[in-house]
Amino acid sequence: QVQLVESGGGLVQAGGSLRLSCAASGRTFSSATMGWFRQAPGKEREFVGGIRWDPTIILYSDSVKGRFTISRDSAKNTVYLQMNSLKPDDTAVYYCAGKSQRIYTAQAMSFGGSYDYWGQGTQVTVSS
């Protein structure tokens, strides 16, 4: 069974940065897709970005493009979400999600139902 564990959330002032980590255990994926989603109180879950490897493709939502960066450390089986220039609107619980196979389309990568595994979430709060 695969487990995804997020870390790195916290409280930061607007304009600051945080780096979230998502460590996968229980299985290593030679070809996989990982996604980051977030959910703010009273709002629906929102796709933030995703990374698919073999070959590597990285996608971002328009709301975070240019501010957030997704990367992967295959040796550590960990995916990162570097968040810069944070805004109060970025406040949410952030979740990583995983699938052990490639997700081929951008539309599917942005859809939570495409993923088989989810982390427990980590709170990010951006103060104004």
Side-chain angles (χ1 to χ4, degrees):
Q1 186 70 345
V2 173
Q3 285 189 320
L4 302 178
V5 179
E6 301 104 333
S7 61
L11 173 64
V12 65
Q13 288 187 331
S17 299
L18 283 174
R19 188 178 79 158
L20 306 184
S21 300
C22 174
S25 62
R27 180 178 177 179
T28 57
F29 302 142
S30 59
S31 299
T33 308
M34 300 291 287
W36 285 98
F37 293 78
R38 67 185 181 186
Q39 188 166 22
K43 295 186 177 181
E44 293 186 354
R45 183 176 59 196
E46 175 189 18
F47 174 72
V48 175
I51 179 169
R52 191 198 79 193
W53 44 93
D54 290 339
T56 299
I57 293 177
I58 302 177
L59 300 176
Y60 301 97
S61 67
D62 288 342
S63 62
V64 307
K65 195 174 296 182
R67 300 188 297 122
F68 291 11
T69 303
I70 295 173
S71 62
R72 170 198 174 208
D73 185 332
S74 58
K76 295 182 179 180
N77 229 19
T78 299
V79 173
Y80 302 98
L81 179 66
Q82 177 67 43
M83 305 185 294
N84 298 328
S85 303
L86 283 162
K87 307 174 182 179
D89 284 348
D90 295 319
T91 295
V93 178
Y94 283 71
Y95 299 91
C96 68
K99 187 173 180 68
S100 59
Q101 295 85 33
R102 298 182 188 90
I103 299 176
Y104 285 97
T105 69
Q107 183 177 12
M109 283 180 67
S110 66
F111 176 56
S114 298
Y115 297 86
D116 299 321
Y117 309 105
W118 289 83
Q120 82 286 354
T122 185
Q123 176 71 46
V124 172
T125 303
V126 184
S127 63
S128 58

